[in-house]
Amino acid sequence: MTKIELLKAFAKGWFGNSQQHSIHAQLLKARGLGKLADKIMAESDEEWEEAKKVNERLIELGETPAVEIEPYPVITDIKEMLEYDCKDAAEALPMMSKSLSMFDDDYVTRHMIEEFIIDEQEHYNWVKGHLCLIEQIGIENYIIEMLGD
């Protein structure tokens, strides 16, 4: 995979994941789980901005971004939703870290990806922590914690 193909894949993935998180947030909000919905919507917004940054970088490099969105599942079960996010981030982090070496000659892109890795690690830690919380207090108590705004 070339550098440009990788960047386009990043954008495609983040646009898709952003839409998934936006839908999940709307579903959670409709169920009254405002605290969790707000966190998931913030993640959606962050992913959208990351995809836009990648497209901006592609243009700076003289490339034309593609209009593509990676398909992601819509999950209604809260624990399964968090487990999917955890698995997705756990798979993305090593791939993103490995891709850094491709950009040793392009500090701007490398720095951008490093920032994405930090954001992804923070999201992974948050999701992992909430899955641990569910294990400790049970899904019913977790849902009660996530009610409201």
Side-chain angles (χ1 to χ4, degrees):
M1 180 178 285
T2 69
K3 294 182 211 180
I4 299 304
E5 290 169 340
L6 180 64
L7 291 174
K8 287 181 178 182
F10 281 165
K12 179 180 177 180
W14 277 311
F15 279 131
N17 205 230
S18 173
Q19 290 303 295
Q20 179 201 41
H21 281 126
S22 176
I23 292 166
H24 285 169
Q26 293 169 27
L27 290 168
L28 292 165
K29 191 79 149 182
R31 292 167 63 184
L33 303 169
K35 292 178 187 174
L36 186 56
D38 290 347
K39 172 62 178 165
I40 300 300
M41 186 56 80
E43 184 66 20
S44 169
D45 294 343
E46 184 177 290
E47 289 160 343
W48 190 262
E49 290 304 315
E50 288 172 341
K52 286 171 43 179
K53 284 180 186 177
V54 171
N55 281 344
E56 181 179 324
R57 184 65 185 142
L58 283 164
I59 292 168
E60 290 169 355
L61 293 170
E63 298 293 328
T64 302
V67 179
E68 296 182 296
I69 296 177
E70 186 73 37
Y72 281 85
V74 173
I75 303 167
T76 57
D77 181 86
I78 293 167
K79 187 175 180 197
E80 288 176 18
M81 190 184 294
L82 294 173
E83 288 170 339
Y84 183 89
D85 261 15
C86 189
K87 179 180 175 279
D88 191 47
E91 291 172 357
L93 282 164
M95 186 275 298
M96 292 169 70
S97 294
K98 185 178 175 187
S99 74
L100 283 175
S101 64
M102 292 176 71
F103 298 95
D104 286 340
D105 62 341
D106 178 355
Y107 178 75
V108 173
T109 305
R110 182 181 173 87
H111 181 69
M112 179 182 71
I113 294 170
E114 288 170 345
E115 290 177 348
F116 295 157
I117 291 169
I118 292 167
D119 290 342
E120 192 68 20
Q121 184 67 55
E122 289 172 356
H123 180 64
Y124 173 80
N125 292 345
W126 181 87
V127 172
K128 192 75 170 164
H130 278 250
L131 286 170
C132 288
L133 184 59
I134 290 170
E135 286 298 316
Q136 292 172 356
I137 67 173
I139 191 66
E140 294 83 9
N141 289 327
Y142 179 79
I143 289 170
I144 291 168
E145 286 292 318
M146 295 298 117
L147 289 172
D149 295 322

